[in-house]
Amino acid sequence: MDLITRITQQFDESIAAKQAATEELVGPISEAVELMVNALTNGGKVLACGNGGSAGDCQHFAAELVGRFERERPGLAAIALTTDSSALTAIGNDYSFNEIFSKQVAAIGQPGDVLLAISTSGNSKNVQLAIEAAHARDMTIVALTGKGGGQMVQQLKQGDVHVCVPHNRTARIQEIHLLAIHCICDGIDLSLLGEEENES
């Protein structure tokens, strides 16, 4: 197989995965928007956690809220729990890597806040412990997973939202997670600002 064919297959598979996921995910993504808008308009914030590529997604999401997505608006309260190297290394060294997010949630999470918990497998132990800590703080969860949701499915409670990508390949799941994040950002802007005049 030549490189051009291989790249074309990647594009085709990504497109097909997004099309297949649309009907299943639009409802949960809409619920995630409503949950976050409710938190943000009532003095709350969104905390986000995940590992590797999912850590990058957390930072991307927080930047879109604190700065802007596509439209000018006041900054919105969001924190990626993946960025403070001193906290991450101190907690990892003094306690364990599994607690790098849960310790932060317990310290700064408040009732009414939302935890955006991202794990392509649904089995990341440190994300699972963050969910436990968030529930203990009366926070709600928006979980972004794939591969059936893994062990995180068992942790979610009534009022939480599960956006589970119906795919088993990590790259495709991550691509759809990013699309879901953009949909959430756009939905938050739509809820707060209404439609733009040039939108149909």
Short mmCIF file of all heavy atoms in Angstrom, two decimals, residues 3 12 32 53-54 92-93 95 109 128 138 140 148 157 179 181 186:
data_model
loop_
_atom_site.label_atom_id
_atom_site.label_comp_id
_atom_site.label_asym_id
_atom_site.label_seq_id
_atom_site.Cartn_x
_atom_site.Cartn_y
_atom_site.Cartn_z
N LEU A 3 1.71 5.41 0.37
CA LEU A 3 1.40 6.38 1.42
C LEU A 3 0.13 7.16 1.12
O LEU A 3 -0.67 7.43 2.04
CB LEU A 3 2.59 7.33 1.60
CG LEU A 3 2.51 8.34 2.75
CD1 LEU A 3 2.30 7.63 4.08
CD2 LEU A 3 3.78 9.19 2.79
N ASP A 12 -10.98 8.62 5.16
CA ASP A 12 -12.26 7.93 4.94
C ASP A 12 -12.78 7.30 6.22
O ASP A 12 -13.98 7.37 6.52
CB ASP A 12 -12.10 6.86 3.85
CG ASP A 12 -11.92 7.45 2.46
OD1 ASP A 12 -12.22 8.65 2.28
OD2 ASP A 12 -11.46 6.72 1.57
N ALA A 32 -24.71 17.80 27.72
CA ALA A 32 -23.47 18.34 28.29
C ALA A 32 -23.45 19.86 28.22
O ALA A 32 -23.03 20.54 29.16
CB ALA A 32 -22.25 17.75 27.56
N GLY A 53 -3.24 12.36 24.96
CA GLY A 53 -4.02 13.16 24.03
C GLY A 53 -5.24 13.77 24.70
O GLY A 53 -5.65 14.89 24.36
N SER A 54 -5.81 13.06 25.65
CA SER A 54 -6.97 13.58 26.37
C SER A 54 -6.59 14.76 27.26
O SER A 54 -7.41 15.65 27.49
CB SER A 54 -7.62 12.46 27.22
OG SER A 54 -8.08 11.41 26.39
N GLY A 92 1.96 13.18 42.49
CA GLY A 92 2.43 11.90 41.99
C GLY A 92 3.54 11.32 42.84
O GLY A 92 3.60 10.11 43.08
N ASN A 93 4.43 12.19 43.32
CA ASN A 93 5.56 11.74 44.13
C ASN A 93 5.16 11.41 45.56
O ASN A 93 5.55 10.38 46.12
CB ASN A 93 6.65 12.81 44.14
CG ASN A 93 7.90 12.38 44.89
OD1 ASN A 93 8.56 11.44 44.48
ND2 ASN A 93 8.21 13.08 45.97
N TYR A 95 2.02 10.97 46.83
CA TYR A 95 0.89 10.04 46.96
C TYR A 95 1.00 8.97 45.87
O TYR A 95 1.63 7.95 46.08
CB TYR A 95 -0.43 10.81 46.88
CG TYR A 95 -0.59 11.81 47.99
CD1 TYR A 95 -0.19 13.14 47.82
CD2 TYR A 95 -1.10 11.44 49.22
CE1 TYR A 95 -0.30 14.06 48.85
CE2 TYR A 95 -1.22 12.36 50.27
CZ TYR A 95 -0.81 13.67 50.07
OH TYR A 95 -0.92 14.57 51.08
N GLY A 109 -12.73 21.88 43.70
CA GLY A 109 -14.09 21.64 43.23
C GLY A 109 -15.12 22.09 44.25
O GLY A 109 -14.89 21.99 45.46
N GLN A 128 -10.93 7.98 36.97
CA GLN A 128 -11.97 7.37 37.79
C GLN A 128 -11.96 7.94 39.21
O GLN A 128 -13.03 8.23 39.78
CB GLN A 128 -11.77 5.85 37.86
CG GLN A 128 -12.04 5.13 36.55
CD GLN A 128 -11.82 3.64 36.69
OE1 GLN A 128 -10.78 3.12 36.33
NE2 GLN A 128 -12.80 2.97 37.24
N ASP A 138 -20.29 17.02 45.38
CA ASP A 138 -21.60 17.35 44.78
C ASP A 138 -21.45 18.04 43.43
O ASP A 138 -22.19 18.97 43.10
CB ASP A 138 -22.42 18.23 45.73
CG ASP A 138 -22.86 17.48 46.98
OD1 ASP A 138 -23.14 16.27 46.87
OD2 ASP A 138 -22.90 18.09 48.05
N THR A 140 -21.24 17.47 39.13
CA THR A 140 -21.75 16.56 38.11
C THR A 140 -20.65 16.29 37.09
O THR A 140 -19.68 17.03 36.98
CB THR A 140 -22.99 17.13 37.41
OG1 THR A 140 -22.72 18.48 37.00
CG2 THR A 140 -24.20 17.11 38.33
N GLY A 148 -17.04 1.47 24.49
CA GLY A 148 -18.08 1.00 25.41
C GLY A 148 -18.11 1.70 26.75
O GLY A 148 -19.01 1.46 27.56
N LYS A 157 -23.68 8.72 37.70
CA LYS A 157 -24.94 8.77 38.44
C LYS A 157 -25.99 9.52 37.64
O LYS A 157 -25.70 10.14 36.62
CB LYS A 157 -24.72 9.47 39.80
CG LYS A 157 -23.73 8.77 40.71
CD LYS A 157 -23.59 9.53 42.02
CE LYS A 157 -22.65 8.82 42.98
NZ LYS A 157 -22.53 9.55 44.28
N LEU A 179 -14.20 16.88 18.19
CA LEU A 179 -15.42 17.41 17.57
C LEU A 179 -16.49 17.67 18.62
O LEU A 179 -17.16 18.71 18.60
CB LEU A 179 -15.93 16.43 16.50
CG LEU A 179 -17.24 16.82 15.81
CD1 LEU A 179 -17.13 18.18 15.11
CD2 LEU A 179 -17.63 15.74 14.79
N ILE A 181 -16.00 18.37 21.76
CA ILE A 181 -15.58 19.55 22.51
C ILE A 181 -15.92 20.83 21.75
O ILE A 181 -16.43 21.80 22.33
CB ILE A 181 -14.06 19.46 22.82
CG1 ILE A 181 -13.83 18.44 23.94
CG2 ILE A 181 -13.49 20.83 23.20
CD1 ILE A 181 -12.38 18.06 24.14
N ASP A 186 -19.40 25.54 20.99
CA ASP A 186 -20.35 26.25 20.14
C ASP A 186 -21.73 26.31 20.80
O ASP A 186 -22.40 27.35 20.76
CB ASP A 186 -20.44 25.54 18.78
CG ASP A 186 -21.44 26.22 17.85
OD1 ASP A 186 -21.14 27.35 17.40
OD2 ASP A 186 -22.51 25.63 17.59
#
